[in-house]
Amino acid sequence: MTFLNDKLTDNSKFEGIQKINFNKFLKKDYKQISICAFDAGAAAHISEWSNNFNCPIKYSLGGPALKIFRKENKDLINYNIQESLKGSKLHIAGTAWSSDYEISSIKLAKEHSIYTISVLDHWVSYKQRFIYKGEIILPDEIWVSDVIAKDIASKEFPTVKISVLPNLWMHKLIAKVKNSSLKLNREKNKPALNLLYLLEPIRSSKQWKTKYSDLSEFDALRYFFDRISILKKLNYIDQNQSKLNLRFRLHPSEKIEKYKNFLFELHPNIEYEISSSQFLEDDLAWCDIAFGIETQALICSLECGIISISTKPKWAEECCLPHEKLLHLSKLI
């Protein structure tokens, strides 16, 4: 796999990781493992990794995570957290800022002397993901899927073991995007014809001061629309297009009703579509260029060789995504 990020293109850093035997990685011969997940990002990683485990797994899943795991196992039995921990000596959980579901499972597992592993799927707000009712609950170990995340996590949590596992989910996603592109029988257009905007909710505590006292994600959308002409002049978007081929992809935790009125009031004449696909690879195969604020899907786009641009406005704090190949609308003049 070739990573686009400069820090990730050093294959020597991944040679050993890609050959990991999960049975050896989980050195102890566990008779049972418990898994807890809620948010989509970590759930996607855990789902791929857990396919390599050779012992029974008891699941406690909620939110988007339940759908992700049921794609692989329609007959999956979903327990409550307490029941899933019974008989387990290893507990693996995702991390989220929007839910206490996963971190509460880590707390409970530690109380029962069960070895705990938390999975970080992003590159921002690490400490907030481990706060439960005002208390920081750290696991025995943290799993990440790239060396950038390891560097950040090691600085944030110097007393916790940090392990980098192969990004099996990204491997599979890139292959799926290639296959979808072949089915569509199209190559990426430069300048772009098809524009994909990856929507996301912005954590309340991270809201920046917006110009119209509304949600930060709306502020970024205004910023994006206001700079379409600049993107055309810079040849990122085809100047000869009479209309935008614009598609929005909702974050798994959001519904379109959140955006409909805003988009109509902002640009009543603009034509756009909301992605109807369940699969991110379909939209990435369709698009020529991708936009978003700080969503993980923007990095997925980047890793698939698609020009990817953060729309975080210049008056907001800098984009927290540390990937060097990611472009920033605020810096494009």
Side-chain angles (χ1 to χ4, degrees):
M1 177 180 178
T2 300
F3 290 88
L4 293 180
N5 185 274
D6 289 349
K7 289 188 179 181
L8 300 182
T9 50
D10 181 359
N11 290 331
S12 65
K13 293 181 180 179
F14 279 83
E15 285 176 358
I17 295 170
Q18 290 174 331
K19 296 177 183 177
I20 280 180
N21 181 321
F22 276 80
N23 298 336
K24 291 181 179 179
F25 188 77
L26 300 172
K27 293 179 181 179
K28 193 171 180 179
D29 185 18
Y30 292 102
K31 294 182 179 179
Q32 177 186 294
I33 293 173
S34 56
I35 287 176
C36 177
F38 189 93
D39 272 14
H45 287 301
I46 298 171
S47 177
E48 292 297 331
W49 290 331
S50 63
N51 288 333
N52 295 272
F53 300 163
N54 66 346
C55 63
I57 300 172
K58 289 180 78 173
Y59 299 93
S60 180
L61 309 168
L66 183 56
K67 293 181 180 179
I68 289 171
F69 278 87
R70 283 219 161 119
K71 285 180 192 174
E72 299 286 336
N73 182 4
K74 293 181 180 179
D75 299 322
L76 177 149
I77 299 174
N78 196 28
Y79 298 92
N80 62 40
I81 294 174
Q82 291 85 348
E83 187 62 33
S84 71
L85 292 174
K86 289 181 180 178
S88 295
K89 295 298 180 182
L90 172 66
H91 180 63
I92 302 172
T95 51
W97 53 260
S98 60
S99 167
D100 288 336
Y101 194 75
E102 293 146 313
I103 190 60
S104 66
S105 77
I106 292 290
K107 185 176 189 301
L108 189 60
K110 289 174 73 71
E111 289 172 354
H112 286 81
S113 301
I114 299 171
Y115 191 81
T116 55
I117 298 173
S118 290
V119 175
L120 288 168
D121 64 287
H122 210 282
W123 302 270
V124 302
S125 304
Y126 279 6
K127 284 189 177 178
Q128 290 90 327
R129 295 167 188 266
F130 294 99
I131 295 175
Y132 180 66
K133 295 183 178 180
E135 180 185 3
I136 293 180
I137 308 294
L138 292 179
D140 298 296
E141 187 173 344
I142 290 174
W143 282 359
V144 296
S145 61
D146 64 62
V147 292
I148 295 179
K150 182 182 181 181
D151 289 345
I152 299 170
S154 297
K155 292 174 183 176
E156 294 273 8
F157 313 112
T159 62
V160 180
K161 179 181 178 181
I162 313 293
S163 300
V164 185
L165 275 68
N167 197 334
L168 303 182
W169 176 74
M170 189 70 80
H171 279 245
K172 185 179 285 189
L173 177 67
I174 291 172
K176 287 178 178 177
V177 171
K178 288 180 179 178
N179 288 336
S180 295
S181 296
L182 288 173
K183 289 179 182 178
L184 291 173
N185 193 26
R186 73 182 302 272
E187 295 183 359
K188 300 302 180 190
N189 293 297
K190 295 181 181 180
L193 294 173
N194 294 350
L195 284 60
L196 177 65
Y197 196 108
L198 300 157
L199 298 166
E200 66 185 297
I202 301 298
R203 183 180 172 87
S204 297
S205 65
K206 292 292 182 181
Q207 295 265 336
W208 59 84
K209 188 176 181 180
T210 63
K211 287 195 171 183
Y212 296 92
S213 299
D214 54 13
L215 294 173
S216 293
E217 46 266 49
F218 290 175
D219 202 38
L221 277 168
R222 282 197 182 90
Y223 193 67
F224 163 70
F225 280 115
D226 287 346
R227 278 150 186 78
I228 291 291
S229 59
I230 294 175
L231 290 167
K232 287 185 175 180
K233 287 179 182 178
L234 294 173
N235 222 32
Y236 285 105
I237 299 175
D238 193 334
Q239 299 183 46
N240 298 317
Q241 269 188 296
S242 58
K243 66 174 184 178
L244 294 177
N245 293 333
L246 177 59
R247 178 182 293 183
F248 290 102
R249 181 175 182 84
L250 290 167
H251 187 274
S253 65
E254 294 187 301
K255 295 182 179 179
I256 185 52
E257 286 72 22
K258 172 180 174 179
Y259 295 96
K260 272 185 175 178
N261 289 338
F262 171 79
L263 289 171
F264 179 77
E265 291 173 5
L266 182 64
H267 279 281
N269 298 320
I270 196 165
E271 293 185 29
Y272 67 89
E273 64 178 5
I274 302 297
S275 174
S276 60
S277 177
Q278 182 182 357
F279 305 108
L280 175 60
E281 59 264 25
D282 292 338
D283 290 331
L284 294 180
W286 171 86
C287 78
D288 300 312
I289 190 169
F291 301 89
I293 306 173
E294 292 174 337
T295 176
Q296 186 194 56
L298 197 59
I299 301 306
C300 295
S301 167
L302 191 70
E303 299 289 8
C304 289
I306 301 166
I307 293 174
S308 305
I309 303 177
S310 171
T311 59
K312 201 166 186 180
K314 64 180 180 181
W315 51 84
E317 295 178 358
E318 282 199 19
C319 176
C320 292
L321 296 174
H323 301 72
E324 294 172 9
K325 295 290 185 180
L326 180 67
L327 300 178
H328 301 272
L329 192 55
S330 62
K331 296 177 181 178
L332 298 178
I333 300 174

